[in-house]
Amino acid sequence: MAEPVPREVARDAHAKLNVFLRVLRRRRDGYHELESLVLPVSLADRITVRPATRIHVDVRGEPEMASAVPAGGLNLSLVAALALADGCDAARGAEITIEKRIPVAAGLGGGSADAAATLRVLNELWGCGLDAAELADVGGRVGSDVPALLAGGPVLIGGRGHRVRPAEVAQLWWVLLPLGFGIRSPDAYRWWDEDRAPTGPDPAAALASAAAGDADALGGLLSNDLEAPVVARHPQIAEAKSALLAAGALGAVMSGSGSSVAGLARDREHGEKLADAIEGSMVVVGPP
Ligand code: C5P
């Protein structure tokens, strides 16, 4: 007898931050060769998928947040659903609802997390039977961050984001400070090119401190090669970093292509103290 089709599948789509992000060089295809430690954190969108006759995405949440998400052709969940349907004979329709909590275009991987969760759920709901590598392949066509977020844990990424291997990271407490404006990733990478910005330090020490959960050491090792070029155009990011450090964060770094800043706390209590001191910030733990 066939398995009953589930009426509804819901999943959390976790945001990420980049503990370090090294831009190694611009490639001939216009993308950039990266090395980055991608850490999923507790902040998450909620994705609910119901069987339907067509593929449709509905975005809900705070009005300013939901309206910032493209619900049409550019919505990454929809792109992901269509990309999966393309290679899956069993594909049917799906009503995808995204309860948006991750700030948009904030360097926190929100759209990519939604796309990754959508791929996982639909692969299951439709019974496409893709394995992890095949799913990552579809994800990579949707966006550079998607393969990392499909992994479901901390990963070290290479290439343009497509080479993904699990990394050990002890649970660490962070304070995220979204800044209320978005940065388009193509701009951030172009500014890195224009400024001939350098590549950051060898990440061995940062990887070792992250694995050991040594927040005091890791605080001084957070780095992001996109930060200086982005800060040169958006000085508010430097101010946000200074505010986090002045409040006692062990280190602070812009996440991804910005504009959010992540501050590292010693533990949960310290994180809560920092969040109380910095308006608009929130405490998260990663891995969740
Ligand atoms: O792959 P995705 O659509 O997320 O990338 C958005 C843009 O960010 C790319 O078009 C490119 O300009 C830039 N990018 C890059 N190198 C990467 C990832 C993204 O230059 N590794």
Side-chain angles (χ1 to χ4, degrees), residues 33-91:
E33 200 70 11
L34 302 181
E35 185 177 26
S36 180
L37 179 57
V38 179
L39 176 65
V41 295
S42 46
L43 174 67
D45 290 343
R46 184 83 177 157
I47 309 286
T48 308
V49 182
R50 297 177 189 84
T53 50
R54 58 183 187 136
I55 298 174
H56 181 253
V57 176
D58 185 28
V59 183
R60 298 189 184 159
E62 298 289 325
E64 70 278 8
M65 206 165 244
S67 63
V69 181
L74 284 175
N75 182 285
L76 279 192
S77 260
L78 182 58
V79 175
L82 295 172
L84 182 66
D86 204 33
C88 170
D89 291 339

Side-chain angles (χ1 to χ4, degrees), residues 37 167-172 205-214 218:
L37 179 57
E168 198 192 332
V169 180
Q171 218 169 44
L172 295 162
L207 283 167
S209 320
D214 185 347
L218 185 61

Side-chain angles (χ1 to χ4, degrees), residues 90-162:
R92 297 179 296 272
E95 175 70 39
I96 302 161
T97 306
I98 303 172
E99 193 71 40
K100 202 71 207 155
R101 295 181 200 127
I102 307 171
V104 175
L108 300 173
S112 305
D114 296 345
T118 300
L119 287 176
R120 279 174 162 215
V121 171
L122 289 181
N123 187 40
E124 189 184 311
L125 194 74
W126 288 342
C128 300
L130 267 59
D131 64 22
E134 291 166 331
L135 217 49
D137 199 49
V138 177
R141 281 186 265 127
V142 176
S144 300
D145 278 344
V146 180
L149 293 168
L150 270 168
V155 287
L156 188 61
I157 60 164
R160 76 161 164 108
H162 289 52

Side-chain angles (χ1 to χ4, degrees), residues 30-32 34 143-144 159-161 185-186 189:
Y31 282 87
H32 292 72
L34 302 181
S144 300
R160 76 161 164 108
S185 345
Y189 285 99

Side-chain angles (χ1 to χ4, degrees), residues 177-262:
L177 181 51
L179 294 184
F181 60 93
I183 307 275
R184 295 175 60 251
S185 345
D187 290 339
Y189 285 99
R190 184 169 44 81
W191 297 333
W192 186 87
D193 293 338
E194 284 173 4
D195 294 1
R196 298 178 185 279
T199 299
D202 182 286
L207 283 167
S209 320
D214 185 347
D216 281 292
L218 185 61
L221 297 168
L222 307 174
S223 72
N224 181 345
D225 294 341
L226 295 173
E227 188 180 291
V230 173
V231 163
R233 277 96 180 161
H234 295 279
Q236 307 95 303
I237 295 170
E239 289 161 23
K241 267 187 75 167
S242 300
L244 277 163
L245 293 171
L250 303 175
V253 69
M254 185 182 84
S255 185
S257 51
S259 59
S260 302
V261 177

